[in-house]
Amino acid sequence: QIGLQLVYLLPLAFILIQPAQGIDLGRYADTAFAPALTILSSTLAGSLIWITVSAEDAPDLIAAAPVSRRLVDRAKLVAAVGPVLALMAIPVALLLLRSPVAGAWAAVGCVAAGTSAGLIGVWRKNPGSRKAFMGHRRQPSLAAGLGQMVVSMGWASAAGLGAYGLPWLAIIPAILAASVLAALQRPPPALP
């Protein structure tokens, strides 16, 4: 599944590297890359965070480790989101060269969407055994799945509107995405 998502990145990279010759796609053709890269970073981060959460062989061993649960979750988040941001740096840099405004909005969208997908995966984790991990991808709860979709679309809309030249209008989907993300955060467990 992750390999397929990376294959989706190749046509975007080829278009960014090789400008269309003899074809005028319009003044705002590069603005379409900002939301596309934002959604791609969200789906990649969501898949990688699922792997880091679900591939835990010994959750009891990790729970007994002399580190806080918060530090473990932060390490999982960095392990999932870091490679996505490193991978997205290439097409975002190419987009920055072609259209600095669209590239800047794409960078903001990729960071926000990738981090949001990682946070949702950590907050709404559903670890399983290695056997269940290999057989099929476990579906998240309905709230987490819909929430991640709304957050991803919100960041993509904000990046697209900002790249198109409507930064004040981009605030609306960004606020919606941040609000849904905040609503998906689980409260910390009560101490006995």
Side-chain angles (χ1 to χ4, degrees), residues 99-179:
S99 173
V101 172
W105 279 97
V108 169
C110 287
V111 170
T115 304
S116 296
L119 287 171
I120 292 170
V122 168
W123 292 337
R124 299 289 176 161
K125 60 186 158 200
N126 196 4
S129 68
R130 178 71 68 156
K131 287 184 251 180
F133 172 73
M134 294 305 222
H136 63 286
R137 180 173 176 161
R138 188 180 300 205
Q139 296 298 322
S141 69
L142 182 62
L146 284 174
Q148 185 166 350
M149 183 183 71
V150 169
V151 169
S152 175
M153 291 299 174
W155 291 128
S157 299
L161 288 168
Y164 190 71
L166 302 169
W168 295 109
L169 194 56
I171 293 172
I172 296 168
I175 289 173
L176 174 68
S179 300

Coordinates of all heavy atoms in Angstrom, one line a residue, residues 99-179:
S99 N 7.2 27.9 -8.6 CA 6.2 28.9 -8.0 C 6.4 29.0 -6.5 O 6.0 28.2 -5.8 CB 4.8 28.4 -8.3 OG 3.8 29.2 -7.7
P100 N 7.1 30.0 -6.1 CA 7.5 30.2 -4.7 C 6.2 30.2 -3.8 O 6.3 29.6 -2.7 CB 8.2 31.5 -4.6 CG 8.8 31.7 -5.9 CD 7.8 31.1 -6.9
V101 N 5.2 30.8 -4.2 CA 4.0 30.9 -3.3 C 3.3 29.5 -3.2 O 3.0 29.1 -2.1 CB 3.0 31.9 -3.9 CG1 1.7 31.9 -3.1 CG2 3.5 33.3 -3.9
A102 N 3.1 28.8 -4.3 CA 2.5 27.5 -4.3 C 3.4 26.5 -3.5 O 3.0 25.7 -2.7 CB 2.3 27.0 -5.7
G103 N 4.8 26.7 -3.7 CA 5.7 25.8 -2.9 C 5.6 26.0 -1.4 O 5.7 25.1 -0.6
A104 N 5.5 27.3 -1.0 CA 5.4 27.6 0.4 C 4.1 27.0 1.0 O 4.2 26.4 2.1 CB 5.5 29.1 0.6
W105 N 3.0 27.2 0.3 CA 1.8 26.7 0.8 C 1.8 25.1 0.8 O 1.2 24.5 1.7 CB 0.6 27.2 0.0 CG 0.2 28.6 0.4 CD1 0.6 29.7 -0.1 CD2 -0.6 28.9 1.6 NE1 0.0 30.8 0.6 CE2 -0.7 30.3 1.6 CE3 -1.3 28.1 2.5 CZ2 -1.4 30.9 2.6 CZ3 -2.0 28.8 3.5 CH2 -2.1 30.2 3.6
A106 N 2.5 24.5 -0.2 CA 2.6 23.1 -0.2 C 3.4 22.6 1.0 O 3.1 21.6 1.6 CB 3.2 22.6 -1.5
A107 N 4.5 23.3 1.3 CA 5.3 22.9 2.4 C 4.5 23.0 3.7 O 4.6 22.1 4.5 CB 6.5 23.9 2.5
V108 N 3.8 24.1 3.9 CA 2.9 24.2 5.1 C 1.9 23.1 5.2 O 1.7 22.5 6.2 CB 2.3 25.6 5.2 CG1 1.2 25.7 6.3 CG2 3.3 26.7 5.4
G109 N 1.3 22.8 4.0 CA 0.2 21.8 4.0 C 0.8 20.4 4.3 O 0.2 19.6 5.0
C110 N 2.0 20.1 3.7 CA 2.6 18.8 3.9 C 2.9 18.6 5.4 O 2.7 17.5 6.0 CB 3.8 18.6 3.0 SG 3.4 18.4 1.3
V111 N 3.5 19.6 6.0 CA 3.9 19.5 7.4 C 2.6 19.3 8.3 O 2.5 18.5 9.2 CB 4.7 20.7 7.9 CG1 4.9 20.7 9.4 CG2 6.1 20.7 7.2
A112 N 1.6 20.2 8.0 CA 0.4 20.1 8.9 C -0.4 18.8 8.7 O -0.8 18.2 9.6 CB -0.5 21.3 8.5
A113 N -0.5 18.4 7.4 CA -1.3 17.2 7.2 C -0.6 15.9 7.6 O -1.2 15.0 8.2 CB -1.6 17.1 5.7
G114 N 0.8 15.9 7.4 CA 1.5 14.7 7.8 C 1.6 14.6 9.4 O 1.4 13.5 9.9
T115 N 1.8 15.7 10.0 CA 1.8 15.7 11.5 C 0.4 15.4 12.0 O 0.3 14.6 13.0 CB 2.3 17.1 12.0 OG1 3.6 17.3 11.4 CG2 2.4 17.1 13.5
S116 N -0.6 15.9 11.4 CA -2.0 15.6 11.9 C -2.3 14.2 11.8 O -2.9 13.6 12.7 CB -3.0 16.5 11.1 OG -2.8 17.8 11.4
A117 N -2.0 13.6 10.6 CA -2.2 12.1 10.4 C -1.5 11.3 11.5 O -2.0 10.3 12.0 CB -1.9 11.7 9.0
G118 N -0.2 11.7 11.7 CA 0.5 11.0 12.7 C -0.1 11.1 14.1 O -0.1 10.1 14.9
L119 N -0.5 12.3 14.5 CA -1.1 12.5 15.8 C -2.4 11.7 15.9 O -2.6 11.1 17.0 CB -1.4 14.0 16.0 CG -0.1 14.8 16.3 CD1 -0.5 16.3 16.3 CD2 0.5 14.4 17.6
I120 N -3.2 11.7 14.9 CA -4.5 10.9 15.0 C -4.1 9.4 15.1 O -4.8 8.7 15.9 CB -5.3 11.2 13.7 CG1 -5.9 12.6 13.7 CG2 -6.5 10.2 13.7 CD1 -6.5 13.0 12.4
G121 N -3.1 9.0 14.4 CA -2.7 7.6 14.6 C -2.2 7.2 16.0 O -2.5 6.1 16.5
V122 N -1.5 8.1 16.6 CA -1.0 7.9 17.9 C -2.2 8.0 18.9 O -2.3 7.2 19.9 CB 0.1 8.8 18.3 CG1 0.5 8.8 19.8 CG2 1.4 8.5 17.5
W123 N -3.0 9.0 18.8 CA -4.1 9.2 19.7 C -5.1 8.1 19.6 O -5.7 7.7 20.6 CB -4.8 10.5 19.5 CG -3.9 11.7 19.8 CD1 -2.9 11.8 20.7 CD2 -4.1 13.0 19.3 NE1 -2.3 13.0 20.7 CE2 -3.1 13.8 19.9 CE3 -5.0 13.6 18.4 CZ2 -2.9 15.2 19.6 CZ3 -4.8 15.0 18.1 CH2 -3.8 15.7 18.7
R124 N -5.4 7.6 18.5 CA -6.5 6.6 18.2 C -5.9 5.3 17.9 O -6.5 4.5 17.1 CB -7.4 7.1 17.1 CG -8.1 8.4 17.4 CD -9.1 8.2 18.4 NE -9.8 9.5 18.8 CZ -10.9 9.5 19.4 NH1 -11.6 8.4 19.7 NH2 -11.5 10.7 19.8
K125 N -4.8 4.9 18.5 CA -4.1 3.7 18.2 C -4.9 2.5 18.5 O -5.7 2.5 19.5 CB -2.7 3.6 18.8 CG -2.7 3.7 20.3 CD -1.3 3.8 20.8 CE -1.3 4.4 22.2 NZ 0.0 4.9 22.5
N126 N -4.7 1.4 17.8 CA -5.4 0.2 18.0 C -4.4 -0.9 17.7 O -4.4 -1.6 16.7 CB -6.6 0.1 17.0 CG -7.5 -1.0 17.4 OD1 -7.3 -1.6 18.4 ND2 -8.5 -1.2 16.6
P127 N -3.4 -1.1 18.6 CA -2.3 -2.1 18.3 C -2.9 -3.5 18.2 O -3.9 -3.8 18.9 CB -1.3 -2.0 19.5 CG -2.0 -1.2 20.5 CD -3.2 -0.5 19.9
G128 N -2.2 -4.3 17.4 CA -2.7 -5.7 17.3 C -1.4 -6.6 17.2 O -0.3 -6.2 17.3
S129 N -1.7 -7.9 17.1 CA -0.6 -8.9 17.0 C 0.0 -8.9 15.7 O -0.5 -8.4 14.7 CB -1.2 -10.3 17.3 OG -2.0 -10.7 16.3
R130 N 1.2 -9.4 15.6 CA 1.9 -9.5 14.3 C 1.2 -10.3 13.3 O 1.2 -10.0 12.1 CB 3.3 -10.0 14.6 CG 4.2 -10.2 13.3 CD 4.7 -8.9 12.8 NE 5.6 -8.2 13.7 CZ 6.5 -7.4 13.2 NH1 6.6 -7.1 12.0 NH2 7.3 -6.8 14.1
K131 N 0.5 -11.3 13.7 CA -0.3 -12.2 12.8 C -1.4 -11.3 12.1 O -1.6 -11.4 10.9 CB -0.9 -13.4 13.5 CG 0.1 -14.4 13.8 CD -0.6 -15.6 14.4 CE -0.2 -15.6 15.9 NZ -0.8 -16.7 16.6
A132 N -2.1 -10.6 12.9 CA -3.2 -9.7 12.4 C -2.6 -8.6 11.5 O -3.2 -8.2 10.5 CB -4.0 -9.1 13.5
F133 N -1.4 -8.2 11.8 CA -0.8 -7.1 11.1 C -0.4 -7.6 9.6 O -0.6 -6.9 8.7 CB 0.5 -6.7 11.8 CG 1.4 -5.8 11.0 CD1 1.0 -4.4 10.9 CD2 2.6 -6.2 10.5 CE1 1.8 -3.6 10.2 CE2 3.4 -5.3 9.8 CZ 3.0 -4.0 9.7
M134 N 0.0 -8.8 9.5 CA 0.4 -9.3 8.2 C -0.8 -9.7 7.3 O -0.7 -9.6 6.1 CB 1.3 -10.6 8.4 CG 2.6 -10.2 9.0 SD 3.5 -8.9 8.1 CE 5.1 -9.5 8.1
G135 N -1.9 -10.0 7.9 CA -3.0 -10.5 7.2 C -3.7 -9.4 6.5 O -4.0 -9.4 5.3
H136 N -4.0 -8.3 7.2 CA -4.8 -7.2 6.6 C -4.6 -6.0 7.4 O -4.2 -6.0 8.6 CB -6.3 -7.6 6.5 CG -6.9 -7.8 7.8 ND1 -6.7 -9.0 8.6 CD2 -7.7 -7.0 8.5 CE1 -7.4 -8.9 9.7 NE2 -8.0 -7.7 9.7
R137 N -4.9 -4.8 6.9 CA -4.9 -3.6 7.6 C -6.1 -3.5 8.5 O -7.2 -3.5 8.0 CB -4.7 -2.4 6.7 CG -4.6 -1.1 7.4 CD -4.3 0.0 6.5 NE -4.4 1.2 7.3 CZ -3.8 2.4 7.0 NH1 -3.2 2.5 5.8 NH2 -3.9 3.4 7.7
R138 N -5.9 -3.2 9.7 CA -7.0 -3.1 10.6 C -7.6 -1.7 10.4 O -6.9 -0.7 10.3 CB -6.5 -3.2 12.1 CG -7.6 -3.2 13.1 CD -7.1 -3.3 14.5 NE -6.3 -4.5 14.6 CZ -6.1 -5.1 15.7 NH1 -6.6 -4.6 16.8 NH2 -5.4 -6.2 15.8
Q139 N -8.9 -1.6 10.3 CA -9.6 -0.4 10.1 C -9.7 0.4 11.4 O -10.0 -0.1 12.4 CB -11.0 -0.7 9.6 CG -11.0 -1.4 8.2 CD -10.4 -0.5 7.1 OE1 -10.5 0.7 7.1 NE2 -9.6 -1.2 6.3
P140 N -9.5 1.7 11.3 CA -9.7 2.6 12.4 C -11.1 2.7 12.8 O -12.0 2.3 12.0 CB -9.0 3.9 12.0 CG -9.2 3.9 10.5 CD -9.1 2.5 10.1
S141 N -11.4 3.3 13.9 CA -12.8 3.6 14.3 C -13.4 4.5 13.3 O -12.7 5.3 12.6 CB -12.8 4.2 15.7 OG -12.3 5.5 15.7
L142 N -14.7 4.6 13.3 CA -15.4 5.5 12.3 C -15.0 6.9 12.6 O -14.8 7.7 11.7 CB -16.9 5.2 12.4 CG -17.7 6.1 11.5 CD1 -17.4 5.7 10.0 CD2 -19.2 5.9 11.8
A143 N -14.9 7.3 13.9 CA -14.6 8.7 14.2 C -13.2 9.0 13.8 O -12.9 10.1 13.2 CB -14.7 8.9 15.7
A144 N -12.2 8.1 14.0 CA -10.9 8.4 13.6 C -10.7 8.4 12.1 O -10.0 9.3 11.5 CB -9.9 7.3 14.2
G145 N -11.4 7.5 11.4 CA -11.3 7.5 9.9 C -11.9 8.7 9.3 O -11.3 9.4 8.4
L146 N -13.1 9.1 9.7 CA -13.8 10.3 9.2 C -13.0 11.6 9.6 O -12.8 12.5 8.8 CB -15.2 10.4 9.7 CG -16.2 9.5 9.0 CD1 -17.6 9.6 9.7 CD2 -16.3 9.8 7.5
G147 N -12.5 11.6 10.8 CA -11.8 12.7 11.3 C -10.5 12.9 10.5 O -10.2 14.0 10.1
Q148 N -9.8 11.8 10.2 CA -8.6 12.0 9.5 C -8.9 12.4 8.1 O -8.1 13.3 7.5 CB -7.8 10.6 9.4 CG -6.5 10.8 8.7 CD -5.6 9.6 9.0 OE1 -5.8 8.7 9.8 NE2 -4.5 9.5 8.2
M149 N -10.0 12.0 7.5 CA -10.3 12.5 6.1 C -10.7 13.9 6.1 O -10.2 14.7 5.3 CB -11.5 11.7 5.6 CG -11.9 12.0 4.2 SD -13.4 11.2 3.6 CE -14.6 11.9 4.6
V150 N -11.4 14.4 7.1 CA -11.8 15.8 7.2 C -10.6 16.7 7.5 O -10.4 17.7 6.9 CB -12.9 16.0 8.3 CG1 -13.1 17.5 8.6 CG2 -14.2 15.4 7.9
V151 N -9.7 16.2 8.3 CA -8.5 17.0 8.6 C -7.6 17.1 7.4 O -7.1 18.1 7.0 CB -7.7 16.4 9.8 CG1 -6.3 16.9 10.0 CG2 -8.5 16.5 11.1
S152 N -7.4 16.0 6.7 CA -6.6 15.9 5.5 C -7.2 16.9 4.4 O -6.5 17.6 3.8 CB -6.5 14.5 5.0 OG -5.8 14.5 3.7
M153 N -8.5 16.8 4.2 CA -9.1 17.6 3.2 C -9.1 19.1 3.6 O -8.9 20.0 2.8 CB -10.6 17.2 3.0 CG -10.7 15.9 2.3 SD -10.0 16.0 0.7 CE -10.1 14.3 0.2
G154 N -9.2 19.4 4.9 CA -9.1 20.7 5.4 C -7.7 21.3 5.1 O -7.6 22.5 4.6
W155 N -6.6 20.6 5.4 CA -5.3 21.1 5.2 C -5.1 21.2 3.7 O -4.4 22.2 3.2 CB -4.2 20.2 5.8 CG -4.2 20.2 7.3 CD1 -4.2 19.1 8.1 CD2 -4.1 21.4 8.2 NE1 -4.2 19.6 9.4 CE2 -4.1 20.9 9.5 CE3 -4.0 22.7 7.9 CZ2 -4.0 21.8 10.6 CZ3 -4.0 23.6 9.0 CH2 -3.9 23.1 10.3
A156 N -5.6 20.3 2.9 CA -5.4 20.3 1.4 C -6.1 21.6 0.9 O -5.6 22.3 0.0 CB -5.9 19.1 0.8
S157 N -7.3 21.8 1.4 CA -8.1 23.0 0.9 C -7.4 24.3 1.3 O -7.3 25.2 0.5 CB -9.5 23.0 1.5 OG -10.2 21.8 1.1
A158 N -6.9 24.3 2.5 CA -6.1 25.5 2.9 C -4.9 25.7 2.0 O -4.6 26.9 1.6 CB -5.7 25.4 4.4
A159 N -4.2 24.7 1.7 CA -3.0 24.8 0.9 C -3.3 25.2 -0.5 O -2.7 26.1 -1.1 CB -2.2 23.5 0.9
G160 N -4.4 24.6 -1.0 CA -4.8 25.0 -2.4 C -5.3 26.4 -2.5 O -5.0 27.1 -3.4
L161 N -6.1 26.9 -1.5 CA -6.6 28.2 -1.6 C -5.5 29.2 -1.4 O -5.4 30.3 -2.0 CB -7.7 28.4 -0.5 CG -9.0 27.8 -0.8 CD1 -9.9 27.8 0.5 CD2 -9.7 28.5 -1.9
G162 N -4.6 28.9 -0.5 CA -3.4 29.8 -0.3 C -2.5 29.9 -1.5 O -2.1 30.9 -1.9
A163 N -2.3 28.7 -2.2 CA -1.5 28.7 -3.4 C -2.2 29.4 -4.5 O -1.5 30.0 -5.4 CB -1.2 27.3 -3.8
Y164 N -3.5 29.4 -4.5 CA -4.2 30.1 -5.6 C -4.2 31.6 -5.4 O -4.6 32.3 -6.3 CB -5.7 29.5 -5.6 CG -6.5 29.9 -6.8 CD1 -6.2 29.4 -8.0 CD2 -7.5 30.9 -6.6 CE1 -7.0 29.8 -9.1 CE2 -8.2 31.3 -7.7 CZ -8.0 30.8 -9.0 OH -8.7 31.2 -10.1
G165 N -3.9 32.0 -4.2 CA -3.8 33.5 -4.0 C -4.9 34.0 -3.1 O -5.2 35.2 -3.0
L166 N -5.6 33.1 -2.3 CA -6.6 33.5 -1.4 C -6.3 33.1 0.0 O -6.9 32.2 0.6 CB -7.9 32.8 -1.8 CG -8.4 33.1 -3.3 CD1 -9.6 32.1 -3.6 CD2 -8.8 34.5 -3.4
P167 N -5.2 33.7 0.6 CA -4.8 33.3 1.9 C -5.8 33.5 3.0 O -5.9 32.8 4.0 CB -3.5 34.1 2.2 CG -3.6 35.2 1.2 CD -4.4 34.8 0.1
W168 N -6.6 34.6 2.9 CA -7.6 34.9 3.9 C -8.7 33.9 3.9 O -9.3 33.5 4.9 CB -8.2 36.3 3.7 CG -7.1 37.3 4.0 CD1 -6.5 38.1 3.0 CD2 -6.5 37.6 5.2 NE1 -5.6 38.9 3.6 CE2 -5.5 38.6 4.9 CE3 -6.6 37.2 6.5 CZ2 -4.7 39.1 5.9 CZ3 -5.8 37.7 7.5 CH2 -4.8 38.7 7.2
L169 N -9.0 33.3 2.7 CA -10.1 32.3 2.6 C -9.5 30.9 3.1 O -10.2 30.1 3.6 CB -10.6 32.2 1.2 CG -11.8 31.4 0.9 CD1 -13.0 32.0 1.8 CD2 -12.2 31.5 -0.5
A170 N -8.2 30.8 3.0 CA -7.5 29.5 3.4 C -7.6 29.3 4.9 O -7.5 28.2 5.4 CB -6.1 29.5 3.0
I171 N -7.9 30.4 5.7 CA -8.0 30.3 7.1 C -9.2 29.4 7.5 O -9.1 28.7 8.5 CB -8.1 31.7 7.7 CG1 -6.8 32.5 7.5 CG2 -8.4 31.6 9.2 CD1 -6.8 33.9 7.9
I172 N -10.2 29.5 6.8 CA -11.5 28.7 7.1 C -11.2 27.2 7.2 O -11.5 26.6 8.2 CB -12.6 29.1 6.2 CG1 -13.0 30.6 6.4 CG2 -13.9 28.3 6.5 CD1 -13.9 31.2 5.4
P173 N -10.7 26.6 6.1 CA -10.5 25.1 6.2 C -9.4 24.8 7.2 O -9.4 23.7 7.7 CB -10.2 24.7 4.8 CG -9.8 25.9 4.0 CD -10.5 27.1 4.7
A174 N -8.4 25.7 7.4 CA -7.4 25.4 8.3 C -7.9 25.4 9.7 O -7.5 24.5 10.5 CB -6.3 26.5 8.2
I175 N -8.8 26.3 10.1 CA -9.4 26.3 11.4 C -10.3 25.1 11.6 O -10.3 24.4 12.6 CB -10.3 27.6 11.6 CG1 -9.3 28.8 11.8 CG2 -11.2 27.5 12.8 CD1 -10.0 30.1 11.8
L176 N -11.0 24.7 10.5 CA -11.8 23.4 10.6 C -11.0 22.2 10.8 O -11.3 21.4 11.7 CB -12.6 23.3 9.3 CG -13.4 22.0 9.2 CD1 -14.6 21.9 10.1 CD2 -13.9 21.8 7.7
A177 N -9.8 22.1 10.1 CA -8.9 21.0 10.3 C -8.4 21.0 11.7 O -8.3 19.9 12.3 CB -7.8 21.0 9.2
A178 N -7.9 22.1 12.2 CA -7.4 22.2 13.5 C -8.4 21.8 14.6 O -8.1 21.2 15.6 CB -6.8 23.5 13.8
S179 N -9.7 22.3 14.4 CA -10.7 22.0 15.3 C -11.1 20.5 15.4 O -11.2 19.9 16.5 CB -12.0 22.8 15.0 OG -11.7 24.1 15.0

